Amino acid sequence: MLKTQINVGLLGLGTIGTGVVKVFQQNADIVRQRTGIEMRLTRIADLDTKTDRGVSLPDGVLTNDADAVLTDPNIDIVIELIGGYKPALQFILKAIENGKHIVTANKALMAVHGQEIIAAAGRAKVDVMFEAAVGGGIPVISAINENLCANRFSTVLGILNGTCNFILTKMTDEGSDFVPVLAEAQRLGYAEADPTFDIEGVDTAHKITLLSELCFGTRIDFDQVYTEGITKISAVDIDFATQMGYKIKLLAIGKLSDGVVEVRVHPTMIPVSFQLADVDGVFNAVRLSGDFLGPVMLYGSGAGMNATASAVMGNVMSIGRNICHGSAGRTPIMGYCQDQIIDLPLRPMSEIISRFYLRFTTLDQTGVLAKISTILGQHDISIQSMIQPESHAADSVPIVLMTHEAREVDIVNALEEIGRLDIIQQPTRLIRVVDDLD
Ligand code: HSE
């Protein structure tokens, strides 16, 4: 044993930070029993030192000066819970320069600036852990990096944003509208400070970028990840999906086949019989497929104070153990030895193969269906099924088609051509369908 007391500093006393304080206070005995270490939260920095967060802190612990954490020679581990890029990146780099190990929940930062942080950590020989960045309390990163690390992964996919899943679930179960449900998610503390990141799929894209990197041993350029959120999902599409035996989920998909990586985020129709279709509300799930393991699904609270604080504290305890046993750097930050990480090509979205749900809004005229199906046929797109409900609207009717597997580029080109027909009244809605999980 090199050390029996570890001092921890915290940057950001928001919802998750407050949860971390509670774990330190309520589970100090568990922490000691499981690590043999006296873990102390000695300094917390936040610009707001006045708001009552419902936790009591000893005098002198809370400060509005981040440097009091970053440069304190007695602090071993810095927890970053500020979120966003600035000043979180500068703070983390400064902490690393000062020899501190890092625990962060910052998926945006790790997905976009991870390389810079990892390089700095390598030079300083410190650990960086970010379990809370993906799936809230679900231990998916440690599962990939530790217990499942003997596998070659082919797929990692899941429901990774609690806010979106909460919204889609309420819209499905209660027929509610998008806007009030989003406000409720924000009130409950699930949504990011800027909910655009949640509902436009950006938060999910950050998470699947990290999971794909961890699973496939590659670097993903976040800007190249196809990202489509849930803001255009309407009650009408949810209703048609239900009639066809599907649920709409914001799915994050990472795949590796023939040396090419596919990473994308979009609303997806999945059969109600899938386990993933039962992941409702704020819950998240990640499904991994490894060559020896086969499929495994991890399920749990994907957001919120306590679940996320649990993941943060788990990392703090792991690093504490590493410090005490002189084994910092034992597990590579991105799961693969740094010199083994390679840049695999990313499949362009135009090349993906999927089935598609298409909802056209057309004039109720003779020959409409023939015109649409002719163009689809010319682009190599075969129709699998169709719904045309009787409509009492004078001027427009919905036509819903489900295609067989088709290439995205063919669908895009066909829809562009169909969109130029004068029978089309509104932009056509497209939702990708996943019926097969590897
Ligand atoms: N806003 C995120 C979510 C929090 O809704 O899942 C956890 O990353």
Side-chain angles (χ1 to χ4, degrees), residues 107 132-133 135-136 160-164 190-192 198 203 207 282 284 302-304 308:
K107 51 255 162 182
L160 300 178
N161 186 272
T163 302
C164 287
Y190 302 145
E192 299 296 299
D198 293 299
D203 176 76
K207 293 168 179 170
V282 74
N284 282 195
T308 312

Side-chain angles (χ1 to χ4, degrees), residues 22 49 66-67 82 93 131-133 150 155 187 205 220 228 252 276 342 357 367-368 376 399 404 420 425 432:
K22 287 183 180 170
T49 56
D67 270 340
I82 299 171
L93 293 175
E131 184 66 71
T155 313
R187 231 180 7 256
I220 310 278
E228 182 187 323
L276 276 171
I342 49 172
Y357 158 99
V368 164
L376 290 176
I399 296 179
H404 282 290
R420 290 199 294 270
Q425 299 291 285
R432 296 167 191 85

Side-chain angles (χ1 to χ4, degrees), residues 2-181:
L2 301 174
K3 234 175 154 175
T4 52
Q5 184 184 315
I6 298 287
N7 294 327
V8 181
L10 169 62
L11 300 173
L13 190 55
T15 307
I16 313 303
T18 304
V20 169
V21 173
K22 287 183 180 170
V23 188
F24 266 99
Q25 293 179 346
Q26 291 174 28
N27 284 7
D29 53 341
I30 291 284
V31 173
R32 204 172 32 249
Q33 288 158 15
R34 286 192 178 274
T35 62
I37 304 163
E38 202 61 49
M39 293 262 184
R40 292 219 191 136
L41 186 57
T42 51
R43 269 288 153 114
I44 303 173
D46 194 290
L47 287 177
D48 173 6
T49 56
K50 299 276 179 281
T51 301
D52 179 6
R53 279 96 167 172
V55 285
S56 68
L57 295 166
D59 285 346
V61 168
L62 184 58
T63 168
N64 60 10
D65 177 14
D67 270 340
V69 172
L70 301 173
T71 61
D72 181 340
N74 295 317
I75 288 182
D76 306 285
I77 303 172
V78 170
I79 305 172
E80 183 275 308
L81 297 176
I82 299 171
Y85 305 114
K86 260 183 165 182
L89 177 60
Q90 289 67 31
F91 286 171
I92 285 181
L93 293 175
K94 187 164 186 179
I96 290 174
E97 261 174 41
N98 286 321
K100 305 196 185 312
H101 304 269
I102 304 293
V103 175
T104 176
N106 195 329
K107 51 255 162 182
L109 191 61
M110 289 307 292
V112 178
H113 293 288
Q115 297 308 322
E116 209 176 326
I117 293 170
I118 291 160
R123 288 190 297 272
K125 301 198 177 352
V126 297
D127 279 328
V128 176
M129 291 193 176
F130 51 99
E131 184 66 71
V134 183
I138 303 173
V140 59
I141 294 180
S142 55
I144 295 169
N145 286 352
E146 300 279 352
N147 310 64
L148 308 180
C149 64
N151 285 267
R152 235 177 262 282
F153 290 102
S154 53
T155 313
V156 51
L157 55 80
I159 294 168
L160 300 178
N161 186 272
T163 302
C164 287
N165 206 42
F166 178 83
I167 292 172
L168 290 174
T169 304
K170 280 230 154 190
M171 288 177 73
T172 306
D173 292 351
E174 300 171 9
S176 322
D177 283 329
F178 178 81
V179 174
V181 186

